[in-house]
Amino acid sequence: MADACSTTVNHPEPPIQSIKLSRNAFAVALRHGRGAAVMHVQEHGLDGVEDLVLAACLENQCYDRQCEGSRAAWMFGFYEGTPAYGRFAEAILAAMSQSTDDYDGDQQRELASLMGRDGDLEAAAALRAHVWGQTFSADRVLGAGAIRDLDGLPAIVEIARRLGKVLQQDSGAWVDTLDYLVNDTFPFDDVFAELKRVATGDAAVASYVGKEEAERIASNNRPDWSNEDPAASAKRRGEEFMRKNPVDAILAASSRKSLGRGQFMQFGRWASEEDLNRILDRLRVENEPEACEKLLCVFRKRPLPCLDDRVWALASHSSADVRNAAAVALSHTSDPRVRKLALERLNDPGFSSDYSEELDLFKNNYQPGDETLILAALERQTVDGDEAHYLASSAIGVCRSVDSPVLAGVAEWVYRTNPCGICRQQVVEKLQEWGCLPPHIAAECRHDALEDLRKLMQGQS
């Protein structure tokens, strides 16, 4: 296995090391959340990059802000205990005072909480003023988690009191649930017991507790599928979906504008062979690009009934979305014609992130040596953001399908290039599994912005 790894890591870009990064390289590593940015500051301080780090404190730079989790603690580590602390704190608190309901404001509030818990009385006071000074309504409480982490259970009680006042005005108002407010920080039953104790002498808290109890009763009356066998659960959900979305409804939906693609992919998972053939029949006569793309999405996770000439034609369509969707549909089949198309597309100098899903053609048509072509095509790209993510997602799919350490170079390209921490974790796990994780990447991962990736490196030498 080691030999296989050693033949795939020779690429023109030198591997990331714990050395001083250029300003541009630091900016990329910081935005991506890679540990190289932390290692740079540990060795060389904030000189020349302080403005970049401050900007990343004020703006949440996660690629997938919902799935990757908070970066606040990671960002705090860049300036905590440094001579620049005062400048950072002043700017963050000023921005927080004007913040709204968005990911940037959430990060600023979390940073203020961290600073307050670290002994910064000004930051603690500013966060309290910001949270308690807002108008409580049926909208989300801004800074609920941040003030909870700063002040503990009393903060949860006070939020419940203020939301209870909202409910006193409108008993049907939607307010943050106790599950959301607690978020595993404290034992839920202990918090609920405390709220019920306070509620005996506080009408507003009693209103909030009443809402919670009503929701718990309603939840208990709902069917409990938690112990259902996974296969049975999937079958039940599939049957329910197909009852609501028969093939005629899917064919009609393909002609409607602005409808998501998820419905078509879900249909493809559960459709019968007869249904799939009806979708293919429509594709043979459909000319509207958006409708073609939607119908092709039926075959995103499900093989085509046959390698139809119409799908081959759509694989060369002028619309990149249609062309990609057709390539994915073809990729499930192992066939010399599909392999030939894969080689042609990656050898084409015009290959780019616009056609990223053409990499999928190798999933079931890979042959030894193709990794060199794939890596060369990836290395030709100058990409970041969405473009890098699209290419990397398809590259990860190939790595998983082929599942061989000869793809280590492709996995390393994903690590270096992809702005998404979750994708970065996936390729690091694959490199570990193959026994090909380079020491410099392992060292970086110990300082990654993604908590799960840091945990993955625990115990690794």
Side-chain angles (χ1 to χ4, degrees), residues 213-263:
E213 288 181 327
E215 175 55 33
R216 296 182 84 176
I217 291 171
S219 178
N220 289 336
N221 290 332
R222 298 184 190 115
D224 182 11
W225 304 111
S226 58
N227 296 319
E228 186 179 18
D229 176 72
S233 175
K235 184 174 183 293
R236 174 178 53 79
R237 293 195 307 272
E239 290 172 347
E240 181 180 357
F241 177 88
M242 292 302 292
R243 280 195 300 270
K244 295 178 180 178
N245 299 273
V247 64
D248 288 330
I250 294 297
L251 291 171
S254 68
S255 299
R256 294 199 292 269
K257 297 291 184 182
S258 304
L259 196 68
R261 308 307 189 253
Q263 179 185 13

Side-chain angles (χ1 to χ4, degrees), residues 194-439:
E194 174 63 10
L195 287 180
K196 287 194 285 189
R197 185 191 68 77
V198 174
T200 60
D202 190 314
V205 174
S207 292
Y208 185 82
V209 168
K211 180 85 168 183
E212 277 291 316
E213 288 181 327
E215 175 55 33
R216 296 182 84 176
I217 291 171
S219 178
N220 289 336
N221 290 332
R222 298 184 190 115
D224 182 11
W225 304 111
S226 58
N227 296 319
E228 186 179 18
D229 176 72
S233 175
K235 184 174 183 293
R236 174 178 53 79
R237 293 195 307 272
E239 290 172 347
E240 181 180 357
F241 177 88
M242 292 302 292
R243 280 195 300 270
K244 295 178 180 178
N245 299 273
V247 64
D248 288 330
I250 294 297
L251 291 171
S254 68
S255 299
R256 294 199 292 269
K257 297 291 184 182
S258 304
L259 196 68
R261 308 307 189 253
Q263 179 185 13
F264 299 90
M265 289 187 279
Q266 183 80 333
F267 177 83
R269 178 181 180 185
W270 301 107
S272 67
E273 288 298 320
E274 180 181 353
D275 288 341
L276 294 181
N277 277 301
R278 285 195 61 188
I279 297 295
L280 192 55
D281 286 342
R282 172 63 71 86
L283 268 172
R284 292 184 180 116
V285 297
E286 182 61 66
N287 291 312
E288 204 283 317
E290 185 177 341
C292 288
E293 183 198 352
K294 291 174 182 176
L295 293 169
L296 285 166
C297 283
V298 170
F299 303 103
R300 193 165 187 85
K301 301 290 186 181
R302 186 84 175 269
L304 289 157
C306 63
L307 293 181
D308 191 82
D309 288 344
R310 175 58 174 163
V311 180
W312 281 106
L314 292 174
S316 299
H317 199 277
S318 58
S319 164
D321 289 337
V322 175
R323 179 169 157 175
N324 276 316
V328 174
L330 291 169
S331 71
H332 302 299
T333 303
S334 177
D335 187 278
R337 291 170 293 173
V338 179
R339 172 171 168 75
K340 182 173 181 289
L341 179 63
L343 296 172
E344 288 175 355
R345 294 297 165 82
L346 254 65
N347 278 313
D348 186 341
F351 174 78
S352 72
S353 60
D354 289 341
Y355 310 111
S356 59
E357 290 180 304
E358 291 181 339
L359 282 172
D360 288 19
L361 294 166
F362 285 96
K363 283 183 176 180
N364 290 291
N365 294 279
Y366 167 87
Q367 290 185 13
D370 289 347
E371 69 280 356
T372 302
L373 171 62
I374 295 170
L375 184 56
L378 293 173
E379 294 284 9
R380 291 199 305 268
Q381 312 302 313
T382 303
V383 290
D384 198 1
D386 286 344
E387 294 177 338
H389 188 248
Y390 297 154
L391 280 168
S393 296
S394 290
I396 291 171
V398 176
C399 288
R400 285 175 165 170
S401 179
V402 177
D403 200 15
S404 167
V406 298
L407 271 296
V410 174
E412 289 188 48
W413 181 91
V414 172
Y415 178 86
R416 298 195 310 272
T417 311
N418 196 342
C420 174
I422 294 171
C423 292
R424 195 162 56 243
Q425 178 181 341
Q426 290 173 355
V427 293
V428 168
E429 289 172 338
K430 186 55 67 177
L431 286 166
Q432 274 189 322
E433 180 184 326
W434 291 337
C436 293
L437 183 64

Side-chain angles (χ1 to χ4, degrees), residues 88-291:
F88 275 71
E90 181 180 5
I92 291 166
L93 297 181
M96 181 189 70
S97 68
Q98 304 297 319
S99 64
T100 57
D101 185 7
D102 59 23
Y103 288 106
D104 297 340
D106 288 343
Q107 179 171 282
Q108 294 157 19
R109 287 181 280 271
E110 289 174 33
L111 284 168
S113 180
L114 287 163
M115 292 187 289
R117 283 178 274 158
D118 199 46
D120 187 331
L121 299 180
E122 182 179 352
L127 178 61
R128 293 184 184 113
H130 176 67
V131 173
W132 304 130
Q134 68 187 282
T135 300
F136 280 66
S137 67
D139 295 325
R140 185 166 72 97
V141 178
L142 301 185
I147 199 72
R148 174 204 63 213
D149 293 342
L150 177 66
D151 289 336
L153 183 56
I156 298 177
V157 174
E158 181 58 25
I159 292 173
R161 177 178 293 112
R162 299 201 182 199
L163 293 178
K165 291 179 180 179
V166 173
L167 292 169
Q168 286 176 320
Q169 299 296 316
D170 178 6
S171 61
W174 186 96
V175 296
D176 283 339
T177 65
L178 189 57
D179 270 327
Y180 174 79
L181 296 178
V182 173
N183 194 29
D184 298 328
T185 306
F186 303 97
F188 180 92
D189 290 341
D190 291 353
V191 176
F192 199 35
E194 174 63 10
L195 287 180
K196 287 194 285 189
R197 185 191 68 77
V198 174
T200 60
D202 190 314
V205 174
S207 292
Y208 185 82
V209 168
K211 180 85 168 183
E212 277 291 316
E213 288 181 327
E215 175 55 33
R216 296 182 84 176
I217 291 171
S219 178
N220 289 336
N221 290 332
R222 298 184 190 115
D224 182 11
W225 304 111
S226 58
N227 296 319
E228 186 179 18
D229 176 72
S233 175
K235 184 174 183 293
R236 174 178 53 79
R237 293 195 307 272
E239 290 172 347
E240 181 180 357
F241 177 88
M242 292 302 292
R243 280 195 300 270
K244 295 178 180 178
N245 299 273
V247 64
D248 288 330
I250 294 297
L251 291 171
S254 68
S255 299
R256 294 199 292 269
K257 297 291 184 182
S258 304
L259 196 68
R261 308 307 189 253
Q263 179 185 13
F264 299 90
M265 289 187 279
Q266 183 80 333
F267 177 83
R269 178 181 180 185
W270 301 107
S272 67
E273 288 298 320
E274 180 181 353
D275 288 341
L276 294 181
N277 277 301
R278 285 195 61 188
I279 297 295
L280 192 55
D281 286 342
R282 172 63 71 86
L283 268 172
R284 292 184 180 116
V285 297
E286 182 61 66
N287 291 312
E288 204 283 317
E290 185 177 341

Side-chain angles (χ1 to χ4, degrees), residues 9 11-19 412 416 438 440-441 444:
V9 297
H11 43 71
E13 178 182 340
I16 305 160
Q17 300 288 354
S18 178
I19 59 176
E412 289 188 48
R416 298 195 310 272
H440 68 273
I441 291 182
E444 270 201 46

